[in-house]
Amino acid sequence: MSSNAAVTLIAYSSRLFQASGHSVRCAILLAYTDLQRLKLPQRFKTLFDQHSRKEFILISKSRRWTVQYANGFFNVVGWKSFVHAHKLSTYHTLVLNPNVNVELHTMVFDANNCKRIYSWY
């Protein structure tokens, strides 16, 4: 992976974020540095920078994690707990799908592109 990018945007957009009209669903292939703090793709950075709030909710079925956002990154607070709960590692793929409240519904796929299932499902 190049030194310019902590993550690689690898996927698609298909949902409309109704409040702004942006198509924002994406998948991120996680690199080692993303396990400490997640660098968001430019599209998400642009969308999140439009909001005055700096905390967002990651949702994985019935569980929620509040993560702090600053300068295009989900920082340690909240993100580290999400990483630990999902046992994320390098080459896992994280799919982010915001709803109208900018809560991010998440899915995780392992290095073999199989969807990971967690005990709270």
Side-chain angles (χ1 to χ4, degrees):
M1 183 171 294
S2 74
S3 60
N4 295 355
V7 295
T8 302
L9 179 62
I10 62 170
Y12 53 94
S13 59
S14 64
R15 278 231 177 148
L16 292 179
F17 179 61
Q18 295 173 0
S20 63
H22 293 289
S23 179
V24 292
R25 179 191 279 180
C26 77
I28 301 167
L29 180 64
L30 299 176
Y32 178 75
T33 55
D34 300 321
L35 302 179
Q36 302 303 314
R37 66 183 197 155
L38 179 66
K39 181 179 179 184
L40 296 175
Q42 184 60 41
R43 237 171 144 162
F44 268 51
K45 181 183 176 311
T46 302
L47 178 68
F48 283 23
D49 286 347
Q50 294 173 7
H51 292 275
S52 58
R53 64 193 242 198
K54 296 304 172 196
E55 290 187 342
F56 295 90
I57 306 294
L58 296 178
I59 301 171
S60 182
K61 289 291 182 184
S62 62
R63 293 196 56 194
R64 296 169 169 258
W65 290 263
T66 301
V67 293
Q68 288 184 347
Y69 171 79
N71 301 320
F73 287 90
F74 282 150
N75 291 309
V76 174
V77 176
W79 175 246
K80 213 168 187 181
S81 177
F82 181 85
V83 167
H84 179 71
H86 288 81
K87 297 182 171 117
L88 295 181
S89 65
T90 304
Y91 302 115
H92 281 165
T93 301
L94 175 63
V95 176
L96 301 174
N97 186 19
N99 65 20
V100 294
N101 299 319
V102 196
E103 295 172 328
L104 297 154
H105 292 271
T106 64
M107 288 188 293
V108 177
F109 296 86
D110 64 19
N112 295 318
N113 293 320
C114 294
K115 184 176 179 184
R116 296 193 53 152
I117 305 297
Y118 298 95
S119 61
W120 60 81
Y121 275 32

